[in-house]
Amino acid sequence: MMKKTFLTIATAAFAATTWAQTPQLRADNIDEVLQAMTLREKATLLVGELAANQNAQGTQIGNTERYIPGAAGNTYAIPRLGIPPTVMADGPAGLRIYTKRNYDSHTYYCTGFPIGTSLAAIWDADVVSKVTAAMGNEVLKYGVDVILAPGNNIHRNPLCGRNFEYFSEDPVLSGNIAAAYINGIQSNGVGTSLKHYAFNNQETRRLGTDARVSQRAAREIYLKPFEIAVKKSQPWTVMSSYNKVNGEYTNSRRDLLTDILRNEWGFQGIVVTDWGGFFDATKCIGSGNDLVQPGSPDFINQIIEAVESGKLSEKDVDTSVRRMLEYIVKTPRFNQYKFDSRPDLKAHAQLVREAAADGTVLLKNDGGVLPFKDVKNIALFGCGAYRLIAGGTGSGDVNKAYIVSLVEGLRNGGFQLDENVVSEYTEYLKKYDESMWKLEWWQRNPVAPEFIPEALVDAAGNNDVAVITFQRQSGEGRDRLAADFDLDADDRDLLVKVADAFHKAGKKVVVVLNVGGAIETASWKDIPDAILLPWQCGQEIGHSIADMLAGKTAPSGHLPMTFPIRLTDHASTANFPLDSPDIGGWGDNHTDRKNIDYTEYEEGIYVGYRWFDRQGMEVSYPFGYGLTYTTFAFDGLQLALQKGEKPADDVVEVTVNVKNIGSAAGKQTAQVYVKAPKGSIMDKPEQELKGFAKTRLLKPGESQLLTIRISAKDLASFNERKSAWVVDAGTYTFRVGDSSRNILCEGTLKMRKQQETISNSL
């Protein structure tokens, strides 16, 4: 017995000594820790920890129940080497975690921030960074290391189900807003995951569809926003997309993940797969995709077997492990941050309420009906007013404490609502709920109740104005239907009848669009007196709209996408999966169905306004369009070429004076579009956005000098034959306006020498 006890003590002492001699991870000994790791430990660090259980609030994708319940996933801990787990959670309109936890009476709500299109419509990097700094504070306070955001894919077609998460149809606007978003989040010492890299422009068959795209379109349109964001913000992580591009999964393309992302753009972080896609762990690691999520023990074994058989170089494994360790030592969890799960949700809600105006687009305001003057009594129509949509569905949704309805917002703003109209909608929605008629987001709720003409006449007589809310929902895993783009018969019937009754009584009608992206407006925009587009601007949406209607704040947003007259006017519509309700996001074994298993990007670089400008096509509202409650004048345009050490380092400085010549305070955006000479690449757009800046709040009579700096290399086009970025010699026209089709001043500048920069192709 004594001998056995002695051996046990001796074994424990030996183990303790060995453990003490094992290096423990620090920021300055990464190579030492890497050398001490076994092959299995290395492989383990490159694979996420699979779910061990489920939570009552949903499937636990990663094994985060013991860390932050509801987070999307985590990396493995390796205690022997002092390597902690790290936790990643969904975004991008706020942190997505569970509100309830086992044996815990507290609730853990997060703020519902504005969606991506709402942030992009702000056209102001400083405001976006301020909003996302608050979001990042919640990431930190709740003990999460990385938020899986922002989404930065191009709005190729209005029907993409995830457009609400993304920013724009234009790569320069998208890239700069993404960079501002990332910088705001990461100012808290937590990380982001720039996604979905790349070509995730449809949700139909999203795990298997093949985006077939030209080299030029890839570089100028679809990769450009990622390039801008990486260079201006250095996100901690980049998420590879589910889909293929030109026949191969993005997570297995070394040219995409290593040659372009790292070697050309200088990305320093880790690449993580999207959750649960189709991938070969060996190909992922060999291509530069460092972390497979959510992973499984099978993937760990695959990596080990591939190294032992020579199929995968251990050097490639070590490269990814080193990146993982460099990422881990930056995280709050590694640095033992004592999170308290108590962010200032009240302050963040107030910030969301105020920021909404910066991204709200005033589409129409005939006779200055907005802001309201001498308006006290309002008749509120449309189910959306009673149940506003704060954001999209799926992983982009946020478990927030509340959503302010327009009813609540207007009442809190001191307006009186027509209680007969309120009662009609309240009873209708109650009966709707009791019917248990559960619809998915892509199935439209009826716009009822049906109002008899006499009731509308009474409403017009008893109220000062009518406000009608139309809304559209969208979400992950499914694209919008074509019919969802148009105003349906019920909506149109309501608008026509309400407008007829109120206009006959000499009263005004305002339409509020609670949507996540472009919808049809051309056929009905002449009916109402004003159209306000607040998008889905977060949980305070009802208060935000009421503030703008009352004039407490002023909308100053500009459209981040074109509103076409018809859906079919978009060049991409012929090559987009219209109305495929039987094809969900998770794919199947087919490979040959056009626009489902593969999609031809035949429009090339002609996406959005580039296409409409090329065709000379009328639109309902152009890219960059937006009114406010005052008017502005642009003058004093100056162009200056600042010479760098080499021509590629030259910078064009565009300076313009913006003056408020109206009678109310407001903000204005100066947008710089450039028309390039034909040069060696003959097929060029009519103009392209190259820079923008927004004023501070200007009082009547005030002005502000705006300076926009545009790198000479940002004037380049991609020459496929040479696989090079080319800045042609010749005359460049710089057009400055408040939309792509309202140019207010312009000037020219000559580039005397052609510049070429050899680059990578896919």
Side-chain angles (χ1 to χ4, degrees):
M1 183 67 179
M2 289 182 62
K3 183 176 181 180
K4 182 176 180 180
T5 302
F6 175 79
L7 287 174
T8 301
I9 294 172
T11 301
F14 176 77
T17 301
T18 303
W19 189 282
Q21 293 174 347
T22 303
Q24 301 295 290
L25 180 64
R26 303 189 309 271
D28 62 355
N29 74 338
I30 288 174
D31 284 338
E32 182 185 4
V33 170
L34 178 59
Q35 292 173 7
M37 296 178 77
T38 66
L39 178 56
R40 178 162 292 277
E41 286 172 333
K42 293 176 182 178
T44 298
L45 199 62
L46 305 183
V47 177
E49 188 173 1
L50 190 64
N53 50 43
Q54 291 187 348
N55 182 288
Q57 297 181 77
T59 301
Q60 192 80 12
I61 299 176
N63 192 23
T64 57
E65 183 70 28
R66 54 184 167 163
Y67 304 123
I68 308 298
N74 60 279
T75 58
Y76 276 102
I78 304 177
R80 185 180 76 87
L81 296 165
I83 300 173
T86 66
V87 176
M88 300 176 171
D90 283 324
L95 182 66
R96 181 176 170 82
I97 57 175
Y98 293 150
T99 59
K100 299 299 295 182
R101 301 176 183 178
N102 293 333
Y103 314 112
D104 187 340
S105 62
H106 292 86
T107 54
Y108 297 89
Y109 291 115
C110 297
T111 303
F113 288 88
I115 60 171
T117 47
S118 181
L119 292 176
I122 293 174
W123 289 68
D124 188 327
D126 291 339
V127 173
V128 172
S129 290
K130 182 179 179 181
V131 171
T132 59
M135 191 189 306
N137 175 259
E138 294 187 18
V139 176
L140 178 67
K141 289 287 190 176
Y142 276 123
V144 173
D145 299 291
V146 171
I147 185 170
L148 302 174
N152 199 28
N153 294 95
I154 289 292
H155 289 203
R156 176 174 175 260
N157 187 277
L159 297 185
C160 175
R162 296 187 85 163
N163 276 354
F164 76 95
E165 293 188 41
Y166 303 150
F167 295 121
S168 173
E169 68 185 25
D170 180 81
V172 169
L173 180 58
S174 294
N176 281 282
I177 296 301
Y181 182 111
I182 292 164
N183 287 329
I185 295 280
Q186 294 189 172
S187 67
N188 292 274
V190 295
T192 58
S193 192
L194 182 63
K195 65 182 186 182
H196 306 89
Y197 183 67
F199 312 97
N200 187 177
N201 306 111
Q202 69 184 59
E203 286 298 279
T204 300
R205 183 84 161 91
R206 62 177 178 159
L207 269 74
T209 191
D210 182 16
R212 299 178 180 177
V213 59
S214 71
Q215 299 300 318
R216 185 180 178 193
R219 296 310 307 262
E220 290 188 23
I221 303 296
Y222 298 101
L223 295 183
K224 178 60 71 172
F226 290 95
E227 177 183 2
I228 294 169
V230 165
K231 289 181 175 179
K232 290 191 173 184
S233 68
Q234 275 296 337
W236 285 14
T237 84
V238 166
M239 184 190 294
S240 56
S241 57
Y242 285 131
N243 53 279
K244 301 174 185 175
V245 56
N246 295 335
E248 187 174 359
Y249 285 107
T250 62
N251 58 43
S252 298
R253 294 199 65 122
R254 189 172 182 85
D255 50 4
L256 187 66
L257 304 182
T258 298
D259 298 341
I260 293 175
L261 178 63
R262 297 184 187 282
N263 298 341
E264 187 177 327
W265 298 347
F267 175 61
Q268 300 297 315
I270 64 169
V271 177
V272 55
T273 65
D274 203 345
W275 266 237
F278 297 142
F279 39 68
D280 179 318
T282 302
K283 286 184 178 180
C284 284
I285 304 306
S287 299
N289 200 125
D290 308 296
L291 177 61
V292 177
Q293 279 284 16
S296 75
D298 287 342
F299 293 141
I300 296 173
N301 292 332
Q302 280 182 30
I303 295 170
I304 294 170
E305 291 166 6
V307 171
E308 291 176 343
S309 67
K311 185 179 177 181
L312 177 63
S313 165
E314 189 162 4
K315 181 179 179 182
D316 286 341
V317 170
D318 287 351
T319 297
S320 287
V321 171
R322 181 177 288 104
R323 290 174 188 149
M324 287 294 297
L325 295 174
E326 289 170 347
Y327 147 71
I328 289 168
V329 298
K330 293 191 297 185
T331 62
R333 194 167 296 273
F334 175 82
N335 290 294
Q336 300 181 347
Y337 174 76
K338 304 299 183 184
F339 61 90
D340 59 14
S341 297
R342 294 179 182 176
D344 191 342
L345 297 180
K346 185 175 180 180
H348 295 170
Q350 183 62 29
L351 176 63
V352 167
R353 176 174 179 170
E354 295 170 356
D358 284 287
T360 294
V361 182
L362 182 60
L363 294 175
K364 180 180 181 180
N365 195 24
D366 283 0
V369 63
L370 295 180
F372 288 151
K373 307 169 191 69
D374 301 319
V375 168
K376 185 173 182 63
N377 298 297
I378 298 175
L380 199 56
F381 295 94
C383 289
Y386 300 82
R387 293 183 178 178
L388 287 167
I389 299 170
T393 69
S395 61
D397 193 11
V398 178
N399 293 320
K400 46 204 168 286
Y402 60 85
I403 300 173
V404 178
S405 70
L406 192 48
V407 176
E408 182 181 359
L410 290 171
R411 284 175 173 167
N412 289 344
F415 294 101
Q416 298 295 319
L417 301 184
D418 188 316
E419 293 303 327
N420 291 327
V421 177
V422 172
S423 294
E424 286 285 341
Y425 277 99
T426 303
E427 286 301 311
Y428 168 77
L429 291 169
K430 180 181 178 182
K431 290 177 181 178
Y432 170 82
D433 290 341
E434 290 173 349
S435 72
M436 300 300 291
W437 184 16
K438 171 71 173 171
L439 299 181
E440 299 293 345
W441 68 255
W442 62 85
Q443 297 173 297
R444 297 294 312 286
N445 290 326
V447 76
E450 181 72 28
F451 288 91
I452 61 173
E454 291 79 5
L456 291 176
V457 170
D458 288 344
N462 295 331
N463 295 281
D464 302 312
V465 68
V467 175
I468 308 173
T469 301
F470 297 133
Q471 60 186 189
R472 296 288 187 274
Q473 183 61 289
S474 56
E476 181 180 9
R478 195 165 191 127
D479 294 311
R480 292 169 57 194
L481 304 179
D484 191 57
F485 178 77
D486 297 320
L487 200 67
D488 61 30
D490 286 337
D491 287 335
R492 186 180 300 276
D493 184 61
L494 177 68
L495 174 60
V496 169
K497 289 180 177 178
V498 170
D500 182 62
F502 275 73
H503 286 161
K504 283 182 178 178
K507 309 292 179 63
K508 303 297 185 181
V509 176
V510 176
V511 167
V512 173
L513 294 178
N514 181 207
V515 299
I519 67 168
E520 190 274 321
T521 54
S523 70
W524 58 267
K525 66 181 183 181
D526 291 338
I527 300 174
D529 302 284
I531 305 173
L532 191 69
L533 172 57
W535 309 100
Q536 294 158 356
C537 54
Q539 68 185 51
E540 287 285 326
I541 182 170
H543 283 144
S544 298
I545 295 171
D547 289 343
M548 286 181 278
L549 294 178
K552 294 178 181 178
T553 57
S556 64
H558 289 256
L559 289 179
M561 78 292 286
T562 306
F563 272 42
I565 293 175
R566 294 165 294 272
L567 178 63
T568 52
D569 289 347
H570 260 274
S572 61
T573 300
N575 290 283
F576 190 84
L578 299 179
D579 298 343
S580 300
D582 59 324
I583 308 295
W586 298 97
D588 51 37
N589 295 322
H590 290 272
T591 59
D592 59 353
R593 293 168 297 183
K594 186 176 188 293
N595 298 335
I596 296 174
D597 302 307
Y598 68 92
T599 299
E600 301 282 358
Y601 286 41
E602 291 180 337
E603 69 278 3
I605 63 170
Y606 292 100
V607 177
Y609 69 89
R610 289 169 171 78
W611 168 254
F612 297 112
D613 287 351
R614 184 192 198 197
Q615 298 301 109
M617 190 180 294
E618 290 297 316
V619 298
S620 185
Y621 294 107
F623 174 78
Y625 176 89
L627 306 174
T628 188
Y629 294 158
T630 188
T631 52
F632 296 89
F634 288 27
D635 61 26
L637 175 66
Q638 293 185 1
L639 304 176
L641 182 61
Q642 308 292 332
K643 293 287 189 179
E645 291 186 7
K646 48 189 177 180
D649 297 329
D650 291 352
V651 173
V652 178
E653 202 167 77
V654 182
T655 305
V656 65
N657 187 62
V658 180
K659 183 176 183 179
N660 183 347
I661 59 173
S663 58
K667 298 179 181 180
Q668 178 61 297
T669 299
Q671 305 165 27
V672 181
Y673 298 87
V674 177
K675 181 177 177 62
K678 293 301 181 185
S680 61
I681 303 172
M682 300 300 293
D683 185 19
K684 291 186 179 179
E686 290 297 309
Q687 60 180 7
E688 296 180 284
L689 181 74
K690 293 299 180 182
F692 57 90
K694 195 169 187 175
T695 69
R696 65 181 184 274
L697 186 69
L698 298 178
K699 297 177 182 178
E702 279 191 320
S703 62
Q704 183 177 350
L705 197 66
L706 296 178
T707 299
I708 300 107
R709 294 170 58 84
I710 301 169
S711 171
K713 58 190 173 186
D714 289 335
L715 302 176
S717 299
F718 193 80
N719 187 313
E720 293 184 350
R721 183 176 59 82
K722 295 182 177 182
S723 190
W725 288 100
V726 178
V727 179
D728 283 304
T731 300
Y732 289 77
T733 302
F734 290 76
R735 301 167 169 172
V736 182
D738 60 5
S739 83
S740 62
R741 294 202 172 174
N742 191 36
I743 303 302
L744 300 169
C745 49
E746 65 177 49
T748 60
L749 199 66
K750 283 189 176 181
M751 296 292 179
R752 301 187 182 279
K753 185 178 180 180
Q754 180 173 297
Q755 304 170 28
E756 291 187 8
T757 303
I758 302 300
S759 190
N760 293 287
S761 298
L762 288 177

